[in-house]
Amino acid sequence: MDYLSAARERLIRAQARVTVPPRVQTAGRYGFYLGALVFASAPYWLGGIYYPDIWTDMALWGTIGLGLNVVIGFAGLLDLGYMAFYAIGGYVFANAALYHGFSLWEAMPIGAVLSVVASAIIGFPTLRVRGDYLAIMTLGFGGIVYYAAQNMTSLTGGYNGLFGWKTQSILGHPFASPIDFYPLALGLTVVAALVTRALRGSRVGRAWSCIKDDEVAAGAAGIPIIRYKLYAYMVGAVWAGLAGAIFAVKQNIVSPETFTFNQSFFAVAVVIMGGMGSITGVILGGVLYVVIAEWMVTYTGTLSGVIFSSLLLLVVLLRPQGLIPFRPRPPRWLLRHYLEDPARGTAGVSQPDG
Amino acid sequence: MSLLRVSDLRVRYGAIQAVRGISFQVEEGECVTILGANGAGKSSTLRAVAGLHRPSGGSVTFGSQVVTGEPAHRIARSGISLVPEGRQVFGTLTIRENLELGGYVQSASANGEALERVLGIFPAFRQRLGALAGTLSGGEQQMLALGRALMTRPRLLMMDEPSLGLAPIVANQIFGILTEIVGSGIAVLLVEQNVHRALQVASRGYVLELGEVVLEGTAASLLADDHVRLAYLGHGMGEAE
Amino acid sequence: MSLQELLQQIANGLVVGSVYGLIALGYTMVYGIVRLINFAQGGLYEVGAYLGVFFFTLMGKFGLQYPIPAVLITLVISMTLTGALAFVVERVAYRPLRNAPLLAPLVSSLAMFFLLISVVQVVTGAEPLTYPSVLSPAPLHLGPIVLSPTSLIIFFAAILLMVGMQQFVRRTKVGKAMRATAANREAAALMGINTTRIVSLTFVLGGAMGAAAGILYGVNYGTVTYDMGEFGGLVAFTAAVMGGIGNVPGALVGGLTVGVLSSFASTFLPNQWNEAIVFAILILILAIRPQGILGERVAERA
Amino acid sequence: MSLRSCPRVLAALSAAAVVAAAAATVSLSATVAAASSPFVIGFANPLTGSEATYGVSDEHAVNMAASQINKAGGIDGHKVKIDACDTQATPAIGVACADSFVSDHVNAVVGFFNSSISIPASGILHKADIPMVSAASTNPTLTEQGFKNVFRVCGTDNYQGAVEADFAYKILKVRRVVALNDEETYGQGVASFFGQSFKKLGGKVVEDEGIDADATDFTSVLTQIKSISPSVQLIEFGGFNPAAGLLIKQARGLGITVPFISDDGVIGPLYYQTGGQSTVGTYLSSSPTPQNLAQGKDAIPAAKTFLQQYVKQFGQPTEYAGYSYEAVEVIANAAKTEHSIAANKVIAGLAATHNYRGTTGIVDFNSIGNNITPQYLIYKVQPGGGNKAYWNPNAKSKS
């Protein structure tokens, strides 16, 4: 067809050829765990304030990715307003801490519950509509939360945000320096990874997967589609709500511009680049996002938007299974067109002999 | 030389091989029918010839031109018209617009003449040119689709299941018009479930089973064939009479 | 609210709404033909507005200061360039994914949108750019209504473009081919219509309309910002849905309705809630009447 | 999850680690450099985004101050180094700048331009005991939080709002006004202090409303104002551009002809660019600009030198460039007088700054860290976009 299809085809063929012997697989698995351990403990041996801060961000973005992955990756719903739940988590904490004397520990579950309630309220009317309508509706919902954060001054501090709560502590251990937040954020990521992984293998997870593959068929098979979509939406919201509270404490301020459309876009990018549905992939997507964003801020400022969108575009076009290769087989629709249908892939060759 | 020569045509949808290397030809001015059960690969063959689906192998030659794998609009411009299964008229457009689009590739003046000619064949449309095609009945839509296909005076007209879902009386009308078309010298390739009717119009036929040609011959020889009688005409010759 | 204020608010809403309608045209046409929300439309609108500033200023430098010819030339050049950009968008972000599941082209058009506005941001350093003042700010009194001459011109230009587009789609051969492709792509191909080219053309026209909207907006408000495509795109989408997506006259109706609604909203609620109200309208419409005011019911997911 | 791809995951992971390490090296080198004894001044301003015009101009001024101090031998031998951070005029990013200053162990901070950022950021710097001198944040709250490390060389909104109210009531002799603000700390501050002072003088604020700073269409709110128009004699707006320019342009387009007054967040070329002819004849309150301080009978010699040097290198400075320059000088001066670059000493030195003569006149910090001397003038926009000093509250006569 064109250069792009040719490039994509080469990639897929190269990938299809790869077979790894089982022993190497096992070695690779342990190597991976070891590498993950070394990487996750990096803030402790690198020290300072900078690294723990960055690693905390990675963990938070990993959690965001995992939560949104339930919505996009498991259930196949494009959500463009996901950061609204992150905002809810943050503002709930700030209000609880500033005006009601709650601790982070107490405020986090409240934020999570309110995020879920919000997701149910917005999800109920939205989940009946087509995939792209849903995307737009969630975008609108994200916009409403953003403007509410800006305008409901009594609750949110308006444009200026909320700040100035007491230093939080858990079991007498104060959260003052970034290294104090890191284990908390990392712990949340691990819990999110384990829970969503368990969900993926469960009955609910299989229902999501059916809905994602073919909604009509899933409905015909007796799966209550709207209810399961709503579950995905609500489960996704929990993680953003929890991460939002930690982010607020770490950042010392909650203000609207952390929850813009751009942020929700980046969250989608994390899931797509990491590989929809893949748990490890999505965490790595979060890590990659923070690394690139940090690197971009240091060197090029606003270029990061250009880099991210180009990267996302390339991933969608060339590697729809995500940047990080967890599923060696490309999705079926691609295989169908480029491997099982030689005429399509090599149209230029088969034509002259007719 | 034959008008349409199809040799070793293969068509697949994903993992499913719908057509497994069939060959046939249609001569200038001839009516040929392709028979077979549901899923035998009849529609797939027509779609592949029309360019709606790229064949996975084999070749299609129209006149002196190899058209294998050409996009549908090119094939349409070369003089092959397909009346697709289920009519596929432009429901949100008027009858006039539907017909005019049938003559999309020709000049406005040629289109005007063609419109007159087609309205001569389907006089019922003359009064209702401004009506939306979506408001027509199934039979009328089939007529419109046929009229639309005739707008360019195609050299080969392909029809996919023209009588599907129509009352017998309407189907009879359609076949009447089809006979006229064949009489006017346009070659027709017909896919039809109603084998008896098809073999009345056609001079030759091919029988497809599981994507392969299992039988071919003149209409008379096929009508007389035991296999055809048993498999497609039911017990004996009852049904259409 | 006095009658005079009521009329004035309607007039204000119609002016803004006409620009939204113009952007909405791009969404609606593309949606009609490929059943895809082309998020990039908001980006094209923004790029068009910035190209407008550039050429407008450039013409000023070459001594062409008479407003009307300058606006016209700017419109033509920027619409052409943005149309070309829309062509590229279709080639890169849509065509390779034609057979992919819905999510893929949706994400790619979203990425394209973000790419466009990020590039604008990088090139301009995110500073708002200003359009040279075209006409005197002296207000015109039309009975009880007061409007600036610019906003009056904007309104009529936008309506003219939309009616022109509507006539193009209704009357011309290419327009009919577009409608045929929208109605049934395969059947259109069987008529000898090069549907791939029609899809390209639809993107191009949509992009050009977006650019026109961007320039008219810039001329009216005098300022363009790197994030105008975000809100503008979403409001226009609301307009497109309201008018019934896929429906060309619907875009105009939807645009004007959204404009007037948001104009009224800010008289009853504090002004800064304006955007939130537009979003709420969007969600309400999609939840209650996704086929819009004029639209027929959109077929469930293809 | 498939196992066979694990080795490649590791590769991806290590690739990520390499990138992270690369990013880290840069920040590390910055930290190492800081440790080798320069006097690091963190500088946080909007360097990109809609307020970048001001931020970049201030950055030039700060760099200019640093290089001049270094040319003269630094602070007791310590070279001044500027650690710039872009706040993008958004609180969360600005607060992250404060965090980075803490982790970089800067000696002092000049910033953060927007009051909405300076206030939360000052809390972080307060916890870390880092001196902070604001050159442009005029919200009174900043210095009223009781943080010993916080100082400001520019004026405050209550004073600015009071000057506007004075001018409106006494000079324009209006009695009924509308006060609008952009819902941000700064704009709200000016508008509400304007309203308070105006009421105190005996005037009436008939409407008091927030508008969205990012919006471009204000015709709705203006139409509302117009419907009560006969009784409204003046519109006041607290906020920034382009909102101010668009507001006045659309007001004139709707036939609203009453006087318009805004603040020093608005003064500058962008106001005329967005508002065009409509801005001519409107009033802006502002601290004296560098250009203004360097002109006329009362011209300040240091301001003259600053302006000459700045213009030579960068063109015309904006409103707060002089104050930003001044902030660096005041910090350096504090460290010199205390003979120490230790944070607590610099804070002590700043607190003891009285009658320091700099580019903006005299700097004299009071007990909460406000500079007690700066003044505000009322400017009137001229055809072509220039601003002419129109009224000086201290002179009590047209200048």
Side-chain angles (χ1 to χ4, degrees), chain D residues 42-53:
Chain D
F43 169 73
N45 252 38
L47 302 178
T48 59
S50 59
E51 288 162 37
T53 324

PDB file of all heavy atoms in Angstrom, chain D residues 42-53:
ATOM      1  N   GLY D  42      17.880  31.299  43.233  1.00  0.00           N
ATOM      2  CA  GLY D  42      16.806  30.690  42.459  1.00  0.00           C
ATOM      3  C   GLY D  42      15.931  31.804  41.890  1.00  0.00           C
ATOM      4  O   GLY D  42      15.622  32.774  42.577  1.00  0.00           O
ATOM      5  N   PHE D  43      15.581  31.665  40.626  1.00  0.00           N
ATOM      6  CA  PHE D  43      14.736  32.687  40.004  1.00  0.00           C
ATOM      7  C   PHE D  43      13.555  31.996  39.335  1.00  0.00           C
ATOM      8  O   PHE D  43      13.736  31.177  38.441  1.00  0.00           O
ATOM      9  CB  PHE D  43      15.550  33.480  38.973  1.00  0.00           C
ATOM     10  CG  PHE D  43      14.708  34.381  38.104  1.00  0.00           C
ATOM     11  CD1 PHE D  43      14.150  35.544  38.618  1.00  0.00           C
ATOM     12  CD2 PHE D  43      14.468  34.053  36.772  1.00  0.00           C
ATOM     13  CE1 PHE D  43      13.377  36.366  37.824  1.00  0.00           C
ATOM     14  CE2 PHE D  43      13.683  34.880  35.967  1.00  0.00           C
ATOM     15  CZ  PHE D  43      13.146  36.038  36.500  1.00  0.00           C
ATOM     16  N   ALA D  44      12.367  32.283  39.808  1.00  0.00           N
ATOM     17  CA  ALA D  44      11.188  31.611  39.258  1.00  0.00           C
ATOM     18  C   ALA D  44      10.229  32.648  38.700  1.00  0.00           C
ATOM     19  O   ALA D  44       9.792  33.549  39.412  1.00  0.00           O
ATOM     20  CB  ALA D  44      10.496  30.786  40.343  1.00  0.00           C
ATOM     21  N   ASN D  45       9.928  32.521  37.439  1.00  0.00           N
ATOM     22  CA  ASN D  45       9.033  33.449  36.750  1.00  0.00           C
ATOM     23  C   ASN D  45       8.351  32.710  35.605  1.00  0.00           C
ATOM     24  O   ASN D  45       8.841  31.667  35.179  1.00  0.00           O
ATOM     25  CB  ASN D  45       9.861  34.610  36.165  1.00  0.00           C
ATOM     26  CG  ASN D  45       9.639  35.907  36.920  1.00  0.00           C
ATOM     27  OD1 ASN D  45       9.507  35.904  38.130  1.00  0.00           O
ATOM     28  ND2 ASN D  45       9.630  37.008  36.216  1.00  0.00           N
ATOM     29  N   PRO D  46       7.261  33.259  35.077  1.00  0.00           N
ATOM     30  CA  PRO D  46       6.670  32.609  33.890  1.00  0.00           C
ATOM     31  C   PRO D  46       7.545  32.853  32.661  1.00  0.00           C
ATOM     32  O   PRO D  46       7.554  33.950  32.123  1.00  0.00           O
ATOM     33  CB  PRO D  46       5.307  33.296  33.747  1.00  0.00           C
ATOM     34  CG  PRO D  46       5.456  34.601  34.447  1.00  0.00           C
ATOM     35  CD  PRO D  46       6.458  34.401  35.530  1.00  0.00           C
ATOM     36  N   LEU D  47       8.287  31.848  32.245  1.00  0.00           N
ATOM     37  CA  LEU D  47       9.208  32.030  31.109  1.00  0.00           C
ATOM     38  C   LEU D  47       8.580  31.542  29.810  1.00  0.00           C
ATOM     39  O   LEU D  47       9.084  31.822  28.730  1.00  0.00           O
ATOM     40  CB  LEU D  47      10.512  31.284  31.375  1.00  0.00           C
ATOM     41  CG  LEU D  47      11.238  31.730  32.656  1.00  0.00           C
ATOM     42  CD1 LEU D  47      12.501  30.908  32.887  1.00  0.00           C
ATOM     43  CD2 LEU D  47      11.578  33.212  32.599  1.00  0.00           C
ATOM     44  N   THR D  48       7.500  30.764  29.927  1.00  0.00           N
ATOM     45  CA  THR D  48       6.724  30.418  28.739  1.00  0.00           C
ATOM     46  C   THR D  48       5.265  30.675  29.090  1.00  0.00           C
ATOM     47  O   THR D  48       4.931  30.847  30.258  1.00  0.00           O
ATOM     48  CB  THR D  48       6.881  28.934  28.350  1.00  0.00           C
ATOM     49  OG1 THR D  48       6.462  28.126  29.448  1.00  0.00           O
ATOM     50  CG2 THR D  48       8.304  28.596  27.972  1.00  0.00           C
ATOM     51  N   GLY D  49       4.420  30.697  28.084  1.00  0.00           N
ATOM     52  CA  GLY D  49       2.998  30.932  28.325  1.00  0.00           C
ATOM     53  C   GLY D  49       2.641  32.393  28.152  1.00  0.00           C
ATOM     54  O   GLY D  49       3.471  33.211  27.754  1.00  0.00           O
ATOM     55  N   SER D  50       1.392  32.693  28.490  1.00  0.00           N
ATOM     56  CA  SER D  50       0.867  34.004  28.116  1.00  0.00           C
ATOM     57  C   SER D  50       1.507  35.150  28.892  1.00  0.00           C
ATOM     58  O   SER D  50       1.422  36.301  28.481  1.00  0.00           O
ATOM     59  CB  SER D  50      -0.649  34.022  28.316  1.00  0.00           C
ATOM     60  OG  SER D  50      -0.951  33.743  29.654  1.00  0.00           O
ATOM     61  N   GLU D  51       2.148  34.875  30.030  1.00  0.00           N
ATOM     62  CA  GLU D  51       2.763  35.962  30.780  1.00  0.00           C
ATOM     63  C   GLU D  51       4.274  35.983  30.620  1.00  0.00           C
ATOM     64  O   GLU D  51       4.998  36.636  31.382  1.00  0.00           O
ATOM     65  CB  GLU D  51       2.352  35.857  32.252  1.00  0.00           C
ATOM     66  CG  GLU D  51       0.889  36.238  32.439  1.00  0.00           C
ATOM     67  CD  GLU D  51       0.312  35.745  33.750  1.00  0.00           C
ATOM     68  OE1 GLU D  51       1.024  35.755  34.755  1.00  0.00           O
ATOM     69  OE2 GLU D  51      -0.865  35.348  33.754  1.00  0.00           O
ATOM     70  N   ALA D  52       4.749  35.240  29.622  1.00  0.00           N
ATOM     71  CA  ALA D  52       6.196  35.101  29.434  1.00  0.00           C
ATOM     72  C   ALA D  52       6.879  36.428  29.107  1.00  0.00           C
ATOM     73  O   ALA D  52       8.052  36.614  29.416  1.00  0.00           O
ATOM     74  CB  ALA D  52       6.476  34.083  28.334  1.00  0.00           C
ATOM     75  N   THR D  53       6.121  37.346  28.489  1.00  0.00           N
ATOM     76  CA  THR D  53       6.723  38.644  28.148  1.00  0.00           C
ATOM     77  C   THR D  53       7.354  39.270  29.385  1.00  0.00           C
ATOM     78  O   THR D  53       8.493  39.755  29.343  1.00  0.00           O
ATOM     79  CB  THR D  53       5.638  39.602  27.625  1.00  0.00           C
ATOM     80  OG1 THR D  53       4.702  38.847  26.875  1.00  0.00           O
ATOM     81  CG2 THR D  53       6.242  40.692  26.783  1.00  0.00           C
TER      82      THR D  53
END
